[in-house]
Amino acid sequence: MAEEKIGVYICHCGTNIGGKVDVEEVTKWAATQPNVAVAREYKYMCSDPGQDLIKNDIKELGITRAVVAACSPTMHEPTFRKAASDGGLNPYLLQMANIREHCSWVTIDPVAATAKAKRILSAQIHRLPLNEPLEPIEVPVNHDVLVVGGGIAGIEAALKLSATGKHVTLVERNPSIGGHMAMFDKTFPTLDCAACILTPKMSALGKDPNITLMAYSEVEYVEGYVGNFTVKVRKKARYVNTDICTGCGACQEACVVRKVKSEFDQGLGFRSAIYIPFAQAVPLRATIDPAKCLTLSKGKCKQQTCVSACGPGAIDFEQKDEVVELDVGAIIMATGFELWDAAQETRYGYGRLDNVITSLEFERISNASGPTGGEIVCKNGEAPKSVVILHCVGSRDQNYQEFCSRVCCMYSLKFSHLIKEHLPETEVYELYIDMRCFGKNYEEFYRRLMDEGVNFVRGRAAEVTDVALSPDEEGRLVVKTEDTLLGIVRRIPADMVILSAGLSPAHDAKEVSQIFGFGCSANGFYLERHPKLEPVATVTDGIFIAGCCQYPKDIPDTVAQAGAAAAGVLGLVDNDTVKVEPTISYIDPEKCSGCHICVGLCPHNAIQYNEEKNAAEVIEAACKGCGVCVSACGSNVPQQRGYLDVQIFAEIEGALAV
Amino acid sequence: MSKFKFAMYWAGSCGGCEIALLEIQAKIIEVDQNYDVVFWPAAADFKYKDVEGYDDGYIDVCLFNGCIRNSENEHLANLLRAKSKVLVAFGACATMGGIPGLANLSSAQEIKDLVYTQTPSVDNPDKVYPQERFTVPEGELDLPHMYDTVKTLEQTVDVDYFMPGCPPEAHQIAGVLDVVTAALKGEGELPPKGATIGVAPKSCCDECERVKDEKKIAGFRRIWEFFPDREKCLLEQGVICMGPATAAGCGARCTSVGMACRGCYGPPEGVVDQGAKMLSTLASIIDAPDPDEIARIAATVPDPVGTFYRFGLASSLLRRARV
Ligand SMILES: Cc1cc2nc3c(=O)[nH]c(=O)nc-3n(C[C@H](O)[C@H](O)[C@H](O)COP(=O)(O)OP(=O)(O)OC[C@H]3O[C@@H](n4cnc5c(N)ncnc54)[C@H](O)[C@@H]3O)c2cc1C
Ligand code: SF4
Ligand code: SF4
Ligand code: SF4
């Protein structure tokens, strides 16, 4: 190893580090360490003059390696590596020693903090001579984009990207795009008609020449890396030739199986075995439900009325699933949410007591094109005289979901308004823990509802029961709750109870995230790369997230995220090449025994098995340098550049040398 | 031409290495043609005094097997180092401590207590222990002193080459002898000092004929608990096979007859601690999402130290348990 000249730069970070660590002492000590040519301290190393210290020392003192003892590398490693590079030093010959997050912020005693800072720095001083210069890897970029999920988030992102001339494939699991928003009548706080603002976007998407819509389809397999993903999509058989189906709906009128609970109507209305989920569906094409269709499930349907009803002859019982392979450069995940299953909270009686309904059911009941034609009625067809809306069902609850679902306070207010609008005489109660009306014009909407005469009761309902204690309660529901403002326990008789259930991650969010090779947070929603600065990126370069798949949010935030994700994608696929970090792993085929241990483990699908060489192989551009293969291989064959065993052992020795 | 001088010594070990040398069969005649045996207690009657009388470097090649367990082993290690030109740590015990290295989980006293007073078949009410010194009418007898810690040969003296295996395979021994003999005759080169010899470049899996696929383990099993598939990788079947963290060279003889690799060939090149590496490998392939399930699966590992450090405890980063 040639003699190295190391420059050491120790940052005070104002009082963040300087207030706890004796920076002067550490600097003096550092100057005496092996290979150290110069050790300096500075108030704010990340400032321009701070960075200039490094650049000048490279030029004037000829330092060959550098270490900045400052904050976490996730914060400023790029800053200082750039400075090194500007000064003429390979950026990977600079290391960070984290003496802020790992030291000054978490150590109480200044003497101990100073000693610890030396250890942390010593580790880097010992490893630096073993660092190798590395060059970023440049890979070509495919300009096409995949969007997964056709709710408002996916629709918005696809349209934005198409407007820039990019080709987008949108894969939606259901027969139609639209997601949850398509089920709503009105949207808070403006009370826009949901259909009026959503359907134009849906139909624009359906007609857009830059967008290939693959509804009733799911992504099964993803391979590749930023700029170069290969995706396999299963187009489920609709048993209808969509090229000739005109969407006239004659088949569903003719079908002999007519009492299938409509998913779109939350099971409150019915559809046929062959169906178009709702009138504005995009694509407006029929689908046969193979579990309900007599021909497909039982092998016999005497009349096959759908066949005779269909003018163009689109029905095709022989149709099979089709797997289509796509190449794309970037992916946006917009797979949305699912409503929390309110039946889990048994004390509220959902599924047991009539007229205890979920919020989505109420959306359908209040919708002019819904099962009741927009009439707000109980099961017996009568208008309710009293409605109680329970907030935070399944949300903010240690037993279920600890988080706040963010939109239920607001949609509950929307419900109150709709009830008051349709049935001015009806008493409406909202049982809340806190009112969370955080958005633009939300607080104003809340105030308006107070003026409309809604009863706001602060308390979490204890139980919904049909056991009457007074004549007034006879034959009705009763909500038992504590009113924490009055300090009393109340029984509120009701004809309808709406459970404002929380928003949950899709039931298969975890499996889906694994197919794509990124992760989920502890609460089950897709994990963003950084909660503040990278809310729509994932740890996998080239894969972005938008909408409620990331975390519950309202439509304005969803649309904003969709735009941000589209911009992120554009910043990538608008280029011909992309640079990827070189701190990745490599496998020497001369050492690999072909045991296959690492092959299935790479979370980024970056390892493939080369049958010819009988060895595993790392696809450079796909590897994220996570180190999983390095620790998994029993023979230490995969080695990660920048984190070689020798470098890590040197760090350990350095840390123990002080 | 005068013959080269050959020595073999048996320190803390079972004696299998000595037998392994004879496994080279007819080739032993070649050894006899090229070498004079000047010390080999298992095969010929030499006394330590004879060796002490040799000049330094008198022995051309010495195969030293066994770990350093007591003062006698240590004395002979020093003696043979001085007298040998090429000193080979031969077999798992000399290179890594071997099975006796597992004694590093206890102190010498604990072992003696167990052996002389606690085992069910011992009847020793007076707690009689062997004494290191004992006076008889003919004079004073002494026994070697047993150390608390088992050491490898390299932890005791400077070693030229390392040849792992419990015991080393005959074809590897023959190969090594060919190289050494050729070098001594000036017809070839010795490997660089400190090299591990008699092994193959990759891990044991390379020589294992079983079909390997991705590994996901939902529980560990021992070989007597089921009938393992004859074709499939044993690890995939939940049997802890040390193959991935073990140097090749043995020809994967164990796995070819349905026994999991026990790791006697030591870590492959580049691996510092065989047991830790294997643990890291297993941890990577346990297939369970939640911590409780992972803990349950991990608890099915039989005898972790004995499994992962069956041969390598004395040479591992851990070395020994605290006493
Ligand atoms: C009862 C209720 C009322 C609400 N009212 C309002 C309101 O008035 N105003 C407001 O601003 N917000 C409201 N919200 C919030 C609003 O619903 C969300 O902000 C919005 O729907 C989020 O859109 P999205 O595209 O992220 O998700 P979604 O609408 O859930 O769409 C996701 C889409 O992805 C598809 N998908 C899922 N998984 C896959 C997969 N693996 N492959 C392919 N496709 C997949 C789904 O089928 C769906 O079409 C309300 C929410 C609820 C529950
Ligand atoms: S938005 Fe309101 S009702 Fe929904 S979880 Fe948060 S606090 Fe509860
Ligand atoms: S370091 Fe290994 S496991 Fe991690 S991304 Fe790279 S190849 Fe995959
Ligand atoms: S784990 Fe190691 S030896 Fe096994 S296939 Fe991967 S790189 Fe090769």
Side-chain angles (χ1 to χ4, degrees):
Chain A
M1 201 185 312
E3 186 66 19
E4 299 295 347
K5 290 172 92 177
I6 301 179
V8 180
Y9 305 89
I10 303 162
C11 183
H12 289 253
C13 194
T15 55
N16 273 310
I17 295 169
K20 190 57 66 69
V21 172
D22 183 344
V23 174
E24 203 176 313
E25 157 68 19
V26 178
T27 313
K28 269 197 220 138
W29 166 86
T32 66
Q33 293 304 296
N35 294 314
V36 173
V38 58
R40 299 184 196 280
E41 53 177 298
Y42 198 72
K43 202 102 197 139
Y44 291 105
M45 272 305 294
C46 56
S47 67
D48 278 346
Q51 295 185 43
D52 286 343
L53 292 177
I54 305 175
K55 291 185 207 167
N56 291 341
D57 284 350
I58 296 169
K59 289 189 191 122
E60 282 155 28
L61 301 180
I63 61 161
T64 59
R65 317 264 143 152
V67 49
V68 182
C71 50
S72 157
T74 49
M75 185 82 198
H76 273 311
E77 190 178 76
T79 314
F80 294 119
R81 288 204 160 151
K82 169 101 184 8
S85 166
D86 290 348
L89 192 66
N90 183 287
Y92 295 91
L93 300 178
L94 179 143
Q95 290 287 136
M96 296 289 293
N98 182 353
I99 59 166
R100 193 178 77 173
E101 286 84 342
H102 283 180
C103 181
S104 67
W105 278 359
V106 291
T107 314
I108 294 166
D109 173 31
V111 176
T114 305
K116 191 175 179 191
K118 288 183 189 170
R119 272 186 198 280
I120 294 171
L121 188 51
S122 172
Q124 297 306 321
I125 294 174
H126 273 74
R127 78 108 78 186
L128 263 175
L130 298 167
N131 272 30
E132 301 165 330
L134 301 174
E135 296 301 332
I137 301 161
E138 201 149 340
V139 294
V141 169
N142 180 314
H143 301 296
D144 296 348
V145 185
L146 169 72
V147 175
V148 184
I152 180 62
I155 293 172
E156 185 66 24
L159 289 173
K160 283 254 154 43
L161 285 166
S162 140
T164 68
K166 297 288 172 263
H167 184 269
V168 181
T169 303
L170 189 142
V171 174
E172 164 60 50
R173 163 181 289 171
N174 285 336
S176 169
I177 57 170
H180 285 96
M181 191 177 168
M183 298 171 187
F184 307 158
D185 184 43
K186 297 276 179 356
T187 57
F188 64 73
T190 47
L191 300 172
D192 290 279
C193 148
C196 311
I197 56 177
L198 179 65
T199 35
K201 285 186 187 283
M202 288 168 62
S203 75
L205 188 145
K207 292 196 194 95
D208 193 316
N210 281 337
I211 301 179
T212 305
L213 174 55
M214 295 178 72
Y216 209 47
S217 301
E218 268 176 72
V219 175
E220 279 191 339
Y221 182 75
V222 179
E223 189 179 63
Y225 47 89
V226 57
N228 301 275
F229 295 102
T230 302
V231 182
K232 287 198 184 121
V233 184
R234 176 173 296 270
K235 273 180 89 166
K236 291 175 274 188
R238 284 184 188 248
Y239 306 101
V240 169
N241 183 340
T242 49
D243 291 338
I244 54 177
C245 167
T246 59
C248 69
C251 53
Q252 58 183 1
E253 301 303 325
C255 177
V256 293
V257 183
R258 305 187 58 96
K259 288 275 173 201
V260 183
K261 284 189 172 174
S262 154
E263 295 82 0
F264 188 76
D265 278 337
Q266 298 298 302
L268 299 174
F270 297 105
R271 62 164 170 83
S272 308
I274 185 165
Y275 67 107
I276 296 172
F278 53 102
Q280 301 84 1
V282 173
L284 192 65
R285 294 288 179 269
T287 305
I288 299 185
D289 178 345
K292 297 292 185 262
C293 163
L294 297 179
T295 302
L296 289 171
S297 64
K298 302 220 161 59
K300 56 168 200 298
C301 173
K302 272 198 206 114
Q303 293 129 15
Q304 291 198 341
T305 42
C306 57
V307 177
S308 37
C310 179
I315 315 264
D316 174 7
F317 291 115
E318 301 302 313
Q319 206 176 58
K320 294 267 163 329
D321 285 7
E322 203 186 319
V323 176
V324 182
E325 203 173 284
L326 305 171
D327 291 322
V328 296
I331 298 172
I332 295 178
M333 302 299 295
T335 51
F337 67 94
E338 278 168 25
L339 198 69
W340 186 75
D341 173 18
Q344 291 182 63
E345 187 64 290
T346 47
R347 60 203 175 114
Y348 292 162
Y350 178 72
R352 179 165 50 84
L353 300 175
D354 282 346
N355 298 316
V356 175
I357 61 172
T358 69
S359 48
L360 271 182
E361 288 169 10
F362 183 81
E363 288 286 358
R364 294 312 297 153
I365 291 177
S366 62
N367 195 303
S369 59
T372 60
E375 295 293 328
I376 299 173
V377 288
C378 298
K379 213 176 169 194
N380 60 8
E382 284 172 22
K385 294 195 182 59
S386 162
V387 180
V388 181
I389 304 175
L390 308 188
H391 287 218
C392 300
V393 177
S395 302
R396 304 183 66 192
D397 188 333
Q398 305 268 347
N399 299 316
Y400 306 115
Q401 307 188 127
E402 273 190 54
F403 54 85
C404 164
S405 294
R406 290 183 85 237
V407 295
C408 350
C409 279
M410 286 305 297
Y411 74 57
S412 301
L413 290 177
K414 172 177 77 176
F415 294 169
S416 291
H417 173 81
L418 293 176
I419 298 166
K420 281 286 179 194
E421 192 179 59
H422 286 66
L423 310 164
E425 300 305 319
T426 298
E427 284 296 340
V428 182
Y429 298 85
E430 295 218 16
L431 267 53
Y432 66 97
I433 307 179
D434 302 289
M435 287 304 295
R436 299 202 160 163
C437 309
F438 50 85
K440 188 172 185 181
N441 293 330
Y442 286 14
E443 184 65 21
E444 293 88 328
F445 189 65
Y446 175 30
R447 191 136 288 285
R448 173 171 163 192
L449 265 291
M450 287 198 219
D451 294 341
E452 285 180 14
V454 174
N455 305 293
F456 289 95
V457 179
R458 187 166 179 276
R460 178 168 230 153
E463 192 186 355
V464 179
T465 175
D466 58 356
V467 179
L469 292 186
S470 67
D472 182 38
E473 295 175 356
E474 215 53 67
R476 305 175 78 184
L477 296 166
V478 178
V479 180
K480 291 203 272 188
T481 184
E482 187 185 5
D483 184 329
T484 59
L485 294 181
L486 297 180
I488 55 167
V489 175
R490 294 178 67 167
R491 294 174 63 88
I492 307 173
D495 306 305
M496 177 186 275
V497 172
I498 304 173
L499 304 182
S500 290
L503 277 57
S504 298
H507 67 279
D508 57 353
K510 191 153 181 227
E511 291 79 50
V512 172
S513 81
Q514 277 162 356
I515 293 178
F516 287 83
F518 59 88
C520 289
S521 320
N523 55 25
F525 291 98
Y526 294 162
L527 181 65
E528 61 284 320
R529 180 178 283 180
H530 189 281
K532 291 164 205 163
L533 301 178
E534 300 259 34
V536 297
T538 66
V539 287
T540 302
D541 281 337
I543 302 188
F544 295 79
I545 49 180
C548 287
C549 60
Q550 183 256 351
Y551 190 70
K553 54 177 65 70
D554 52 19
I555 296 166
D557 284 3
T558 297
V559 170
Q561 273 205 339
V569 163
L570 208 55
L572 186 71
V573 299
D574 217 27
N575 300 307
D576 292 327
T577 59
V578 59
K579 281 195 177 136
V580 297
E581 275 282 324
T583 47
I584 55 169
S585 91
Y586 62 93
I587 289 176
D588 180 350
E590 298 298 316
K591 291 188 179 156
C592 170
S593 68
C595 75
H596 273 76
I597 283 177
C598 60
V599 179
L601 294 177
C602 175
H604 305 283
N605 301 330
I607 298 183
Q608 64 186 23
Y609 195 74
N610 185 325
E611 298 287 347
E612 235 164 73
K613 293 190 191 155
N614 264 326
E617 234 169 34
V618 175
I619 309 163
E620 281 204 335
C623 172
K624 286 280 154 310
C626 69
V628 163
C629 57
V630 181
S631 52
C633 175
S635 321
N636 263 13
V637 178
Q639 285 287 310
Q640 192 182 343
R641 295 193 173 87
Y643 298 90
L644 302 177
D645 278 3
V646 284
Q647 295 167 337
I648 291 169
F649 277 113
E651 276 191 37
I652 295 172
E653 275 163 25
L656 299 178
V658 184
Chain B
M1 196 191 85
S2 77
K3 293 189 192 174
F4 301 114
K5 308 282 182 290
F6 173 88
M8 184 158 192
Y9 182 66
W10 167 356
S13 71
C14 69
C17 285
E18 313 269 335
I19 315 291
L21 191 76
L22 298 178
E23 272 284 304
I24 63 175
Q25 300 180 1
K27 205 166 172 83
I28 199 82
I29 295 166
E30 260 177 56
V31 175
D32 184 54
Q33 282 165 354
N34 288 310
Y35 296 91
D36 277 331
V37 173
V38 295
F39 184 58
W40 188 356
D45 187 13
F46 288 95
K47 304 294 183 223
Y48 295 171
K49 281 218 159 40
D50 300 329
V51 183
E52 281 156 11
Y54 297 152
D55 289 338
D56 280 0
Y58 173 77
I59 303 168
D60 288 293
V61 49
C62 172
L63 305 183
F64 189 107
N65 68 83
C67 64
I68 310 303
R69 213 280 164 265
N70 60 32
S71 52
E72 182 188 21
N73 304 150
E74 188 179 28
H75 171 63
L76 264 288
N78 282 307
L79 185 61
L80 287 167
R81 170 67 282 182
K83 304 299 174 188
S84 309
K85 287 201 191 81
V86 173
L87 178 67
V88 180
F90 188 86
C93 300
T95 52
M96 302 184 277
I99 301 236
L102 287 170
N104 285 356
L105 294 171
S106 327
S107 66
Q109 192 56 46
E110 281 167 345
I111 293 172
K112 287 181 198 162
D113 288 346
L114 181 73
V115 171
Y116 292 105
T117 66
Q118 291 163 3
T119 49
S121 60
V122 164
D123 181 22
N124 184 4
D126 301 332
K127 301 211 185 313
V128 179
Y129 282 84
Q131 299 301 305
E132 288 183 8
R133 266 170 215 294
F134 192 65
T135 313
V136 289
E138 292 80 5
E140 187 150 291
L141 295 176
D142 58 307
L143 282 176
H145 173 66
M146 177 173 164
Y147 297 133
D148 271 323
T149 299
V150 170
K151 287 186 179 170
T152 69
L153 186 58
E154 194 201 15
Q155 287 163 355
T156 313
V157 296
D158 183 44
V159 174
D160 297 307
Y161 300 109
F162 301 88
M163 187 164 180
C166 183
E169 278 302 319
H171 71 281
Q172 297 288 9
I173 301 175
V176 164
L177 286 173
D178 283 346
V179 171
V180 173
T181 311
L184 289 172
K185 287 183 177 165
E187 293 163 6
E189 292 262 318
L190 279 176
K193 185 178 153 85
T196 298
I197 55 176
V199 294
K202 304 179 176 184
S203 82
C204 177
C205 305
D206 184 49
E207 293 180 330
C208 174
E209 304 267 289
R210 288 172 179 268
V211 180
K212 292 138 209 142
D213 207 336
E214 291 171 19
K215 302 178 193 359
K216 286 190 168 150
I217 297 183
F220 296 107
R221 297 188 281 185
R222 302 183 80 163
I223 214 84
W224 51 263
E225 293 176 51
F226 71 118
F227 289 102
D229 184 292
R230 284 165 184 272
E231 308 289 324
K232 262 172 66 177
C233 165
L234 288 166
L235 197 49
E236 282 161 38
Q237 302 183 58
V239 181
I240 298 185
C241 177
M242 289 288 287
T246 302
C250 62
R253 291 186 58 174
C254 296
T255 64
S256 70
V257 294
M259 268 307 291
C261 168
R262 294 142 59 98
C264 74
Y265 259 63
E269 194 196 338
V271 172
V272 175
D273 187 306
Q274 185 183 22
K277 188 70 254 199
M278 191 62 203
L279 263 172
S280 166
T281 297
L282 283 193
S284 306
I285 54 179
I286 287 182
D287 185 28
D290 78 291
D292 290 344
E293 176 66 2
I294 293 170
R296 189 199 60 74
I297 295 174
T300 62
V301 173
D303 180 15
V305 183
T307 301
F308 301 120
Y309 291 103
R310 182 177 272 126
F311 298 93
L313 184 62
S315 62
S316 70
L317 293 172
L318 299 171
R319 292 278 163 98
R320 65 155 305 119
R322 272 195 208 152
V323 279

